[in-house]
Amino acid sequence: MMSYKTLVGLEIHVELMTERKMFCNCKNEFGAMPNTNVCPVCLGLPGALPVMDKEAVEYAIMAGLAFNCEIEKTIIMDRKSYFYPDLTKGYQISQSDFPLCKGGFLEIDLDEGPKKIRLERIHIEEDTGKQIHTENGTTLLDFNRSGVPLIEIVTKPDINSSEEARLFLEKLKNTIKYLGVSDVKMEEGSLRCDVNINVIDEERNIRTNISEIKNLNSFKSVVKAIEYEQKRHIEALENGSNTDKETRRFNELTGETILMRKKFQASDYRYQFEADLTPIEIKEEWINEIRTAMPELPDQKKRRFMKDYKLNEYDASILTQSKELSFFYEELTDLVNDAKLAANWVMTDVLRRLKEEDKELSQLNLTPKALAELLDYVKSGKVNNNTAKKVLREMLETGESAKNIIDKQGLIQINDEEELSRVIDEVIKDNQQSVEDFKNGKDRALGYLMGQIMKKTKGKANPNTANKMLIDKINKN
Ligand code: ZN
Ligand code: MN
């Protein structure tokens, strides 16, 4: 039996949500009219000089701290030279030998326990313009994106499967969202991922050459591309050949990767010091200021939820999996004043709905306040659980409040023992056979009788009270 080990390293570009671009005063905004947020600096006109944006550096340092990196003492920028139509200067201002953040790691949760994925570096650089290929064969250029600040996060090849890659990306995305330094929308290009992959034949100690898969635009594509490449590399090893060191592109329609170009060497880029930007010293006090201003991160929040709300680890990690969900849960808990009840409803009914409709929480027709109103009915026993679930479904469909739906349909639970007694007597009278069956030890008959009670009360009977009263009455009968 051959044993193969897959090595995956990721390079992730994240656009920072700063007010301004990295080296000029143009607005950093997505979706504006093409070429309206441009100036001589980000168009790369001769003689225009870049000035470093402070906010961009702060955001990048924040990311470095969140991923446990060491922060460099001086910012040194380099020119990375290559030709591309969306790169007006003929070089990108980036970082080569002195990335702003070094080392670091991010932990993912596997079934067998937590695993550390180490980072190589996080460096800062400017984004390029955007090419738009039209149907009639022309290519348009939009330079609004030119000069938007990016961080490039490079991992070590510590990822050993497509599933680990997915978990890593989800954790990374979530952490950056909590930090608030990027909106990390893959569909808008503010999070972009390249995969480096090769396979080792551990028995014979040979490894394939690394392939790089560029421009993957969803986590699903990352997973599929890794799985496709894994197979291709193993096949090469089994045929006694090897893969070429090359850059490939993933075709979403076929699920295959195709050759894009032979891989560039770092030396092809002719990195050189960017003399237009003076090195900036990063003082310890500045880092401390940034650290203090950092918001709570997913792992911290998870521990706090376990402590403050007495949630178990599983529930706490589900509820902190996304920033929106964690805020929704906290607000709901504050309003209902019952952490366990809130957790149950968010984790079952709300999450199920999101999954069914493949939606984000923000797209759902539900605020914590609206759900809290419904849960107050549950807590006080005015509405039973099953009815409440139906009310929630209707709230989501119509956007109406819990109170309106409950009032309009008269769904308040029947707790009144006199009223229940009357209904139960009727049910007993009409179903003598079932009563006998129950007396003779057929427990199922009780379920049938309860069903009749619920039917007569349109589901509004308090199930616990009705059940107790029914058994009492039968026993006295
Ligand atoms: Zn500009
Ligand atoms: Mn880059």
Side-chain angles (χ1 to χ4, degrees), residues 231-339:
K231 246 199 245 149
R232 198 175 65 86
H233 281 243
I234 290 174
E235 260 167 40
L237 286 170
E238 292 191 335
N239 294 333
S241 63
N242 201 334
T243 52
D244 288 325
K245 197 171 154 88
E246 61 194 17
T247 300
R248 300 176 71 86
R249 179 184 291 139
F250 179 67
N251 182 335
E252 268 174 62
L253 297 175
T254 61
E256 294 171 351
T257 66
I258 43 166
L259 175 67
M260 216 168 133
R261 56 167 188 249
K262 296 288 163 194
K263 204 168 159 50
F264 282 100
Q265 303 286 318
S267 58
D268 291 336
Y269 290 119
R270 307 292 306 236
Y271 278 103
Q272 55 182 302
F273 174 59
E274 168 56 287
D276 284 347
L277 287 159
T278 4
I280 299 166
E281 191 196 344
I282 302 178
K283 294 217 171 79
E284 199 58 39
E285 299 96 84
W286 192 24
I287 296 178
N288 285 336
E289 260 172 50
I290 294 168
R291 200 193 307 271
T292 322
M294 265 167 64
E296 192 178 39
L297 296 176
D299 286 341
Q300 295 169 317
K301 186 162 254 183
K302 177 175 134 187
R303 284 193 294 275
R304 185 167 61 77
F305 277 12
M306 288 167 71
K307 191 169 151 275
D308 290 359
Y309 301 137
K310 310 274 179 290
L311 298 179
N312 63 39
E313 183 163 4
Y314 177 78
D315 292 2
S317 47
I318 299 271
L319 291 168
T320 52
Q321 240 166 35
S322 92
K323 185 182 178 182
E324 289 89 15
L325 191 70
S326 72
F327 276 80
F328 185 96
Y329 170 71
E330 257 200 307
E331 208 181 320
L332 179 66
T333 300
D334 283 348
L335 290 165
V336 203
N337 208 1
D338 186 334

Side-chain angles (χ1 to χ4, degrees), residues 13 80 92 123 125 152:
H13 284 87
K80 179 184 182 179
Q92 176 192 28
H123 68 254
E125 61 186 26
E152 181 177 332

Side-chain angles (χ1 to χ4, degrees), residues 80-96:
K80 179 184 182 179
S81 298
Y82 63 97
F83 171 77
Y84 223 62
D86 58 18
L87 186 70
T88 51
K89 300 192 293 293
Y91 60 85
Q92 176 192 28
I93 303 180
S94 178
Q95 292 190 300
S96 166

Side-chain angles (χ1 to χ4, degrees), residues 30-80:
F30 180 84
M33 277 286 287
N35 298 309
T36 51
N37 291 329
V38 289
C39 75
V41 174
C42 53
L43 286 173
L45 302 189
L49 287 173
V51 178
M52 180 71 85
D53 181 59
K54 190 180 173 200
E55 201 181 23
V57 176
E58 285 177 339
Y59 281 10
I61 291 176
M62 226 185 241
L65 293 173
F67 296 128
N68 314 290
C69 303
E70 187 192 322
I71 311 296
E72 187 60 73
K73 299 278 171 276
T74 312
I75 304 173
I76 294 169
M77 303 305 292
D78 297 290
R79 293 182 176 185
K80 179 184 182 179

